[in-house]
Amino acid sequence: MLTRTAGVQKCAIVVRGRKAHTSRHREGVDAIAVLRQTLDLLDATHLGLVNHDFPTLPRIQIAGLIAGRGEGHVLSGISYLADKATALIDVRYPPPYEPHDVIAALEDLVERANKRNPEAVITLDHPPDPAFEVGGADMPPMDESPDSVLVQDIAEILPQVSNYAVTETGLALPFSFCGNDTTHLSRAGIECCLFGPRGAGPDTEEHVLISEMVACARTLAVLALRRCG
């Protein structure tokens, strides 16, 4: 059962330059070149969001790149410099940090990039343009006590209704690196944890075990009766 998980922040770094024909490229500002320089500054160790319980965090993933001409990143007319370039970014970060801490750290990076490239305009889009279908609300970390009554109840019930037992509570790596919706429940004052079928082997993201699904369903049913009785 997980009660401590990473936060997830999704955003985009957008560079706007100036279009120019390749024969007069010095008259333009290459948005792709500026974006490359900006991403070179994107070092997770400089974000300052460190919790030694969560090794390797914060983690920055550049998840997608697109560049072209005009606001729509038009890809035709390649004889002209790209005047817009966008990088889609996923940041995983530990508690006790909040979304505003991540945004502040990234905005500081963007400010430094703008000072290095005064002829371009570099912005942090949060959330990213809806056209990219990144979506989703901010997902802060969850950091609940592994000794809560809820965790104790589940640990007691599970072996009574199945052949499984709770072997980990609180922080369980690498699974705690994921973001999940329990963070919204816990912040609404609802006691919760992340409990469900996981699967086995290296491809746990691609399957779950029916036996685990049954065990979880039985556990939750008994838990509901206990809480509502």
Side-chain angles (χ1 to χ4, degrees), residues 82-97:
D83 59 0
K84 185 178 180 184
T86 299
L88 298 174
I89 297 169
D90 177 299
V91 181
R92 302 291 162 125
Y93 64 99
Y97 301 101

PDB file of all heavy atoms in Angstrom, residues 82-97:
ATOM      1  N   ALA A  82      12.451  28.278 -38.421  1.00  0.00           N
ATOM      2  CA  ALA A  82      11.302  28.087 -37.543  1.00  0.00           C
ATOM      3  C   ALA A  82      11.220  29.271 -36.580  1.00  0.00           C
ATOM      4  O   ALA A  82      12.223  29.657 -35.980  1.00  0.00           O
ATOM      5  CB  ALA A  82      11.442  26.790 -36.765  1.00  0.00           C
ATOM      6  N   ASP A  83      10.013  29.850 -36.465  1.00  0.00           N
ATOM      7  CA  ASP A  83       9.855  30.970 -35.541  1.00  0.00           C
ATOM      8  C   ASP A  83       9.073  30.580 -34.287  1.00  0.00           C
ATOM      9  O   ASP A  83       8.789  31.422 -33.432  1.00  0.00           O
ATOM     10  CB  ASP A  83       9.195  32.168 -36.222  1.00  0.00           C
ATOM     11  CG  ASP A  83       7.821  31.849 -36.789  1.00  0.00           C
ATOM     12  OD1 ASP A  83       7.365  30.695 -36.665  1.00  0.00           O
ATOM     13  OD2 ASP A  83       7.193  32.762 -37.362  1.00  0.00           O
ATOM     14  N   LYS A  84       8.759  29.279 -34.141  1.00  0.00           N
ATOM     15  CA  LYS A  84       8.148  28.800 -32.907  1.00  0.00           C
ATOM     16  C   LYS A  84       8.590  27.361 -32.656  1.00  0.00           C
ATOM     17  O   LYS A  84       8.549  26.525 -33.566  1.00  0.00           O
ATOM     18  CB  LYS A  84       6.622  28.866 -32.959  1.00  0.00           C
ATOM     19  CG  LYS A  84       5.960  28.491 -31.628  1.00  0.00           C
ATOM     20  CD  LYS A  84       4.437  28.605 -31.682  1.00  0.00           C
ATOM     21  CE  LYS A  84       3.812  28.231 -30.346  1.00  0.00           C
ATOM     22  NZ  LYS A  84       2.339  28.234 -30.392  1.00  0.00           N
ATOM     23  N   ALA A  85       9.013  27.101 -31.434  1.00  0.00           N
ATOM     24  CA  ALA A  85       9.443  25.752 -31.050  1.00  0.00           C
ATOM     25  C   ALA A  85       8.937  25.466 -29.645  1.00  0.00           C
ATOM     26  O   ALA A  85       9.014  26.320 -28.755  1.00  0.00           O
ATOM     27  CB  ALA A  85      10.963  25.632 -31.105  1.00  0.00           C
ATOM     28  N   THR A  86       8.418  24.253 -29.451  1.00  0.00           N
ATOM     29  CA  THR A  86       7.792  23.887 -28.180  1.00  0.00           C
ATOM     30  C   THR A  86       8.334  22.550 -27.687  1.00  0.00           C
ATOM     31  O   THR A  86       8.463  21.600 -28.462  1.00  0.00           O
ATOM     32  CB  THR A  86       6.265  23.792 -28.335  1.00  0.00           C
ATOM     33  OG1 THR A  86       5.750  25.061 -28.724  1.00  0.00           O
ATOM     34  CG2 THR A  86       5.596  23.348 -27.041  1.00  0.00           C
ATOM     35  N   ALA A  87       8.629  22.498 -26.384  1.00  0.00           N
ATOM     36  CA  ALA A  87       9.015  21.247 -25.723  1.00  0.00           C
ATOM     37  C   ALA A  87       7.995  20.945 -24.639  1.00  0.00           C
ATOM     38  O   ALA A  87       7.708  21.793 -23.789  1.00  0.00           O
ATOM     39  CB  ALA A  87      10.401  21.367 -25.118  1.00  0.00           C
ATOM     40  N   LEU A  88       7.427  19.741 -24.668  1.00  0.00           N
ATOM     41  CA  LEU A  88       6.489  19.296 -23.643  1.00  0.00           C
ATOM     42  C   LEU A  88       7.274  18.555 -22.565  1.00  0.00           C
ATOM     43  O   LEU A  88       8.090  17.680 -22.869  1.00  0.00           O
ATOM     44  CB  LEU A  88       5.429  18.388 -24.248  1.00  0.00           C
ATOM     45  CG  LEU A  88       4.551  19.049 -25.319  1.00  0.00           C
ATOM     46  CD1 LEU A  88       3.638  18.015 -25.967  1.00  0.00           C
ATOM     47  CD2 LEU A  88       3.735  20.180 -24.726  1.00  0.00           C
ATOM     48  N   ILE A  89       7.007  18.904 -21.304  1.00  0.00           N
ATOM     49  CA  ILE A  89       7.852  18.449 -20.205  1.00  0.00           C
ATOM     50  C   ILE A  89       7.016  17.836 -19.089  1.00  0.00           C
ATOM     51  O   ILE A  89       5.950  18.341 -18.736  1.00  0.00           O
ATOM     52  CB  ILE A  89       8.680  19.631 -19.651  1.00  0.00           C
ATOM     53  CG1 ILE A  89       9.620  20.148 -20.741  1.00  0.00           C
ATOM     54  CG2 ILE A  89       9.472  19.228 -18.423  1.00  0.00           C
ATOM     55  CD1 ILE A  89      10.264  21.452 -20.391  1.00  0.00           C
ATOM     56  N   ASP A  90       7.509  16.732 -18.549  1.00  0.00           N
ATOM     57  CA  ASP A  90       6.927  16.068 -17.383  1.00  0.00           C
ATOM     58  C   ASP A  90       7.959  16.129 -16.261  1.00  0.00           C
ATOM     59  O   ASP A  90       9.088  15.681 -16.429  1.00  0.00           O
ATOM     60  CB  ASP A  90       6.592  14.608 -17.739  1.00  0.00           C
ATOM     61  CG  ASP A  90       6.036  13.802 -16.566  1.00  0.00           C
ATOM     62  OD1 ASP A  90       6.756  13.647 -15.549  1.00  0.00           O
ATOM     63  OD2 ASP A  90       4.913  13.305 -16.661  1.00  0.00           O
ATOM     64  N   VAL A  91       7.569  16.695 -15.115  1.00  0.00           N
ATOM     65  CA  VAL A  91       8.452  16.782 -13.955  1.00  0.00           C
ATOM     66  C   VAL A  91       7.881  15.929 -12.831  1.00  0.00           C
ATOM     67  O   VAL A  91       6.724  16.099 -12.443  1.00  0.00           O
ATOM     68  CB  VAL A  91       8.614  18.230 -13.464  1.00  0.00           C
ATOM     69  CG1 VAL A  91       9.564  18.284 -12.267  1.00  0.00           C
ATOM     70  CG2 VAL A  91       9.120  19.135 -14.585  1.00  0.00           C
ATOM     71  N   ARG A  92       8.666  14.984 -12.314  1.00  0.00           N
ATOM     72  CA  ARG A  92       8.297  14.194 -11.134  1.00  0.00           C
ATOM     73  C   ARG A  92       9.094  14.741  -9.953  1.00  0.00           C
ATOM     74  O   ARG A  92      10.321  14.872 -10.043  1.00  0.00           O
ATOM     75  CB  ARG A  92       8.616  12.710 -11.347  1.00  0.00           C
ATOM     76  CG  ARG A  92       7.915  12.099 -12.571  1.00  0.00           C
ATOM     77  CD  ARG A  92       6.425  11.989 -12.351  1.00  0.00           C
ATOM     78  NE  ARG A  92       5.709  11.824 -13.600  1.00  0.00           N
ATOM     79  CZ  ARG A  92       4.864  10.829 -13.859  1.00  0.00           C
ATOM     80  NH1 ARG A  92       4.644   9.907 -12.939  1.00  0.00           N
ATOM     81  NH2 ARG A  92       4.236  10.767 -15.011  1.00  0.00           N
ATOM     82  N   TYR A  93       8.395  15.041  -8.876  1.00  0.00           N
ATOM     83  CA  TYR A  93       9.066  15.675  -7.747  1.00  0.00           C
ATOM     84  C   TYR A  93       8.501  15.137  -6.435  1.00  0.00           C
ATOM     85  O   TYR A  93       7.371  14.644  -6.376  1.00  0.00           O
ATOM     86  CB  TYR A  93       8.896  17.200  -7.828  1.00  0.00           C
ATOM     87  CG  TYR A  93       7.466  17.677  -7.716  1.00  0.00           C
ATOM     88  CD1 TYR A  93       6.964  18.148  -6.503  1.00  0.00           C
ATOM     89  CD2 TYR A  93       6.618  17.655  -8.819  1.00  0.00           C
ATOM     90  CE1 TYR A  93       5.656  18.579  -6.396  1.00  0.00           C
ATOM     91  CE2 TYR A  93       5.311  18.087  -8.713  1.00  0.00           C
ATOM     92  CZ  TYR A  93       4.839  18.549  -7.505  1.00  0.00           C
ATOM     93  OH  TYR A  93       3.525  18.971  -7.403  1.00  0.00           O
ATOM     94  N   PRO A  94       9.282  15.231  -5.353  1.00  0.00           N
ATOM     95  CA  PRO A  94       8.889  14.601  -4.092  1.00  0.00           C
ATOM     96  C   PRO A  94       8.138  15.561  -3.170  1.00  0.00           C
ATOM     97  O   PRO A  94       8.172  16.781  -3.357  1.00  0.00           O
ATOM     98  CB  PRO A  94      10.238  14.220  -3.478  1.00  0.00           C
ATOM     99  CG  PRO A  94      11.133  15.353  -3.910  1.00  0.00           C
ATOM    100  CD  PRO A  94      10.669  15.729  -5.303  1.00  0.00           C
ATOM    101  N   PRO A  95       7.468  15.007  -2.149  1.00  0.00           N
ATOM    102  CA  PRO A  95       6.981  15.853  -1.070  1.00  0.00           C
ATOM    103  C   PRO A  95       8.194  16.369  -0.276  1.00  0.00           C
ATOM    104  O   PRO A  95       9.259  15.774  -0.350  1.00  0.00           O
ATOM    105  CB  PRO A  95       6.131  14.895  -0.219  1.00  0.00           C
ATOM    106  CG  PRO A  95       6.694  13.529  -0.506  1.00  0.00           C
ATOM    107  CD  PRO A  95       7.176  13.583  -1.934  1.00  0.00           C
ATOM    108  N   PRO A  96       8.079  17.490   0.410  1.00  0.00           N
ATOM    109  CA  PRO A  96       6.873  18.269   0.720  1.00  0.00           C
ATOM    110  C   PRO A  96       6.589  19.371  -0.281  1.00  0.00           C
ATOM    111  O   PRO A  96       5.805  20.287   0.005  1.00  0.00           O
ATOM    112  CB  PRO A  96       7.239  18.879   2.074  1.00  0.00           C
ATOM    113  CG  PRO A  96       8.701  19.163   1.943  1.00  0.00           C
ATOM    114  CD  PRO A  96       9.260  17.998   1.146  1.00  0.00           C
ATOM    115  N   TYR A  97       7.193  19.310  -1.469  1.00  0.00           N
ATOM    116  CA  TYR A  97       7.054  20.405  -2.421  1.00  0.00           C
ATOM    117  C   TYR A  97       5.677  20.392  -3.068  1.00  0.00           C
ATOM    118  O   TYR A  97       5.013  19.352  -3.157  1.00  0.00           O
ATOM    119  CB  TYR A  97       8.169  20.335  -3.458  1.00  0.00           C
ATOM    120  CG  TYR A  97       9.527  20.412  -2.816  1.00  0.00           C
ATOM    121  CD1 TYR A  97      10.282  19.257  -2.630  1.00  0.00           C
ATOM    122  CD2 TYR A  97      10.026  21.611  -2.353  1.00  0.00           C
ATOM    123  CE1 TYR A  97      11.522  19.306  -2.013  1.00  0.00           C
ATOM    124  CE2 TYR A  97      11.273  21.668  -1.726  1.00  0.00           C
ATOM    125  CZ  TYR A  97      12.002  20.517  -1.559  1.00  0.00           C
ATOM    126  OH  TYR A  97      13.221  20.566  -0.926  1.00  0.00           O
TER     127      TYR A  97
END
